Amino acid sequence: MDQGMARGWRYGGCRLRLLPRRPLAREEAELSAGARVRTFVALAEDRRRDIVRKTKDGLEAARRRGRVGGRRPVVDDDKRAAILARRQRGESIRTIAAGVKVSIGVVHKTLTAAQAEQQP
């Protein structure tokens, strides 16, 4: 970056100030760039580990308080019974989905789960 460009440059509330120094030899410049890249990679990995740890800690704290995340199931016991009864009568999955007001995938998943429960 040109020193003239960087004199008044601000980033995140911090002002960038370049200090004058001797020009680096080509080998030193390449080594320096590689070291900078490795440093940035290490910092990014460390930040990622912090985020993962904090997320897991937060989920565990919520679990201890009785708060479990995730979507609530679409099919309750009444809808499940209706889906299974309609399928017993021979209705198609599309007809069942339209009648119970759920998606075709939900009906298919419910039927597959019910089949798996019946088989040992």
Side-chain angles (χ1 to χ4, degrees):
M1 177 183 294
D2 182 26
Q3 284 186 359
M5 276 178 46
R7 279 190 212 281
W9 189 59
R10 295 177 83 60
Y11 179 75
C14 298
R15 185 160 182 251
L16 176 66
R17 187 172 137 209
L18 295 179
L19 300 175
R21 62 184 174 117
R22 69 172 176 81
L24 294 176
R26 183 176 181 168
E27 296 82 22
E28 289 177 318
E30 289 173 3
L31 178 66
S32 177
R36 268 186 260 134
V37 168
R38 285 191 298 277
T39 301
F40 290 141
V41 168
L43 288 171
E45 288 174 356
D46 190 45
R47 180 69 180 133
R48 183 185 174 284
R49 274 193 299 272
D50 283 348
I51 291 170
V52 168
R53 182 182 48 81
K54 288 177 182 179
T55 300
K56 287 182 179 179
D57 290 348
L59 289 172
E60 180 60 34
R63 224 175 273 117
R64 283 194 304 267
R65 290 191 314 264
R67 307 275 306 182
V68 179
R71 280 182 76 158
R72 292 186 178 159
V74 173
V75 178
D76 56 6
D77 292 336
D78 294 336
K79 284 186 181 180
R80 184 177 189 277
I83 290 169
L84 295 176
R86 285 175 170 230
R87 189 60 173 176
Q88 282 290 64
R89 289 194 301 251
E91 291 186 32
S92 71
I93 291 177
R94 287 182 188 272
T95 308
I96 296 169
V100 182
K101 293 187 174 52
V102 294
S103 70
I104 295 169
V106 168
V107 174
H108 190 270
K109 182 179 173 182
T110 304
L111 294 172
T112 304
Q115 248 180 358
E117 288 174 5
Q118 289 176 355
Q119 295 176 353

